[in-house]
Structures are given as C-alpha cells and as structure tokens.
Amino acid sequence: MTGTPAVDDLPDVFPPTLREVMTRPFWIGMLGLALLVAGIFAWLGQWQLGNAIDTDPPPAGMTEQVRPLGEVVAPGAYLPEPLVGQRVEVTGSFVAGDFRVVTSRYDDGTPGYWVAGQFRVDPTTAGVDGPTSLAVAVGFTPDRENADAAASALSDAPPQDVTLTGRLISDEGAKEPPRDADPLEITAMSPAALLSQWSDIEGLDVYRPYLVSAEAFGALQQIHAPAPTELSSVNWLNIFYAIEWAVFAGFAFYMWYRLARDAWEKEVEALSDDGEGAEQPLPRP
C-alpha cells in the first residue's frame, strides 16, 4: 500500500523571478506600448525644443528704423510680434468729426486720456486699393475737459495732407465701459471700437493695429512711447514644456516597470499562500 509522500519528498516550487515575468509575451507587448507612448512624448518634446530657440531673431534696433506703413502690415492683418512698436511713416488726412477720447490711459505713469482719430491714408503712398483708414492716437492729457476740448477742435478742423511718423501697436481689444459711464465711452485703444463710431465707413478697409503719433496735435502732450524691449531668442516656456514631455516619456517606462513588478509580487504571494504550512524557498528578485 502506497503511503502519503513526506513533505521532504515533494519537489521544490520556486516563484518566478522579476526578470522572468518581464520577459513574458504579455509584458513584452506592454513594453512595446510604453515605447510607443514614450516615442510620441519624445517627439513632442523635440518639437517644443525646436520652437524654443529662434535661429533667425530680428536684428537689434530694427523697430527704430522708420519704414513705410505698407511694408510693415496690410489692412485687416495682425501685426507680427517682432514688429510691435515698429516706427512707421504714413501720409494722409484726418477725417472731420471722427476724433474720440480714449479713457484709462497712462503716460509714463501719469493717468489721463488719449485723443484718437480716423486717419485716411493716401493710397499712392501706402500701397492700398480703395479707402483705407488707420486709428491714430494724436496726444495725451491728464485732464478730461482738455481731452474733450481737443477732440472737438480737431474734429472741426482736422489736419490734412500730413505725413505722420510713430509706433505701430497691436489692437488692445474692445472693452465694455463701466456701468455708470457713457455707453459710448472708449476705454481701450481699439480700432474696432473706434470704427463703430467713425463716419463714412462704407467699403472702408481698416488696419488692425493703431499708430501712436510721434507728433502731438492740438493742445495735447506728446504720448510717451519708448522703444520696445528687445525680444529674447530663447523661449523659456517652450523649454519648460520640452522638459515636461521628457518626464512624461520616462514615466511611461516607470509605469510599465511598476505594473510588471506588481504582477510579480502578486504571483509570489499567491504561491506562498498555496504552500502555507510547507517550507517554501525564498523568492528571487
């Protein structure tokens, strides 16, 4: 009669090593998926890094060279970032009745008001077809009464056939006036907001940026318009994003390793529970 084998006669059952688990087909497939995800993240990081450094930055002092308006921007087009603050020259005439006061202005730290008007550019010098207007800020004053008086006087007798020089600035965007203010009050230097109050606009093209005139008109002060700060050739925000993508790529590998190790630890624990009461060899990492 055959008896029950002794515990010492049972074959040893060794748990799998971590390496054995990682080299199973399932985890090899998961490694391939992690490689694919990490490759995508690495490509995104490379793209961000490629856009972080401007290999062809604009030359220093470029904005200080006076250029014809038509060479810098076209009507209806956005002003490129390197050209914000560019000094330009344009010839034309102001339109009667279209000078407006712009509130919430600061001139070298002093609060006050701008007066802005519709400047109908000369097509022969600006290289445009048909009627085209440019919003021009013609002066500053800290007093509202002076601003209203200057706007009224310039509207009655607008300067004609003048050549302006000044800095070209991007549209600030229209803003709603305060609740207790005049609904027609203009609180931001926005050609779109000015256009809504201009006359004779049928078929009119308008420049998106506005001009800060280097010459003050009427009884106004010259607007303080310093040269823009030179842009850095390195975009540190893009470099930060590139580092983030590199971290994400490394995290994809870590997740694969962590999941495989968890599976290994559960398998070792299950074998230990099955052999409870019997002497088990220690798991090998």
Side-chain angles (χ1 to χ4, degrees), residues 44-284:
L44 289 170
Q46 181 69 22
W47 179 81
Q48 289 283 2
L49 196 60
N51 286 275
I53 301 176
D54 188 356
T55 57
D56 187 24
M62 181 188 69
T63 59
E64 301 312 290
Q65 301 174 6
V66 179
R67 301 170 57 185
L69 177 64
E71 292 183 3
V72 177
V73 68
Y78 288 98
L79 185 64
E81 182 66 26
L83 296 176
V84 174
Q86 175 67 49
R87 296 186 66 201
V88 298
E89 181 180 77
V90 60
T91 300
S93 300
F94 285 98
V95 178
D98 282 346
F99 283 88
R100 298 290 183 272
V101 175
V102 182
T103 64
S104 304
R105 300 287 90 189
Y106 284 85
D107 191 80
D108 201 19
T110 302
Y113 308 86
W114 282 2
V115 174
Q118 178 186 178
F119 188 75
R120 192 68 55 88
V121 302
D122 183 351
T124 61
T125 60
V128 295
D129 296 324
T132 307
S133 287
L134 172 69
V136 178
V138 298
F140 168 84
T141 177
D143 185 77
R144 179 57 190 259
E145 291 185 2
N146 290 343
D148 290 335
S152 177
L154 289 169
S155 290
D156 292 339
Q160 301 292 297
D161 300 322
V162 293
T163 298
L164 300 178
T165 58
R167 295 196 185 277
L168 208 56
I169 309 296
S170 297
D171 180 4
E172 295 179 2
K175 297 179 182 179
E176 292 185 3
R179 289 180 177 271
D180 56 346
D182 184 342
L184 296 179
E185 180 176 314
I186 299 174
T187 58
M189 190 59 193
S190 169
L194 291 167
L195 176 63
S196 67
Q197 299 186 29
W198 284 347
S199 59
D200 191 21
I201 62 173
E202 185 175 354
L204 181 70
D205 282 336
V206 178
Y207 287 93
R208 285 185 179 272
Y210 65 90
L211 183 73
V212 176
S213 175
E215 176 187 357
F217 290 84
L220 299 170
Q221 304 172 19
Q222 181 183 2
I223 297 174
H224 180 67
T229 303
E230 295 289 342
L231 297 176
S232 172
S233 60
V234 178
N235 188 325
W236 293 103
L237 183 60
N238 277 22
I239 290 179
F240 173 76
Y241 287 151
I243 294 173
E244 275 194 334
W245 287 121
V247 172
F248 292 158
F251 187 72
F253 286 109
Y254 173 76
M255 284 298 297
W256 170 79
Y257 167 79
R258 185 68 261 178
L259 291 173
R261 186 177 181 86
D262 287 347
W264 170 68
E265 291 175 349
K266 288 180 180 179
E267 192 167 336
V268 170
E269 184 180 353
L271 287 174
S272 298
D273 291 342
D274 289 343
E276 187 177 356
E279 185 177 350
Q280 295 292 324
L282 295 174
R284 295 167 293 159

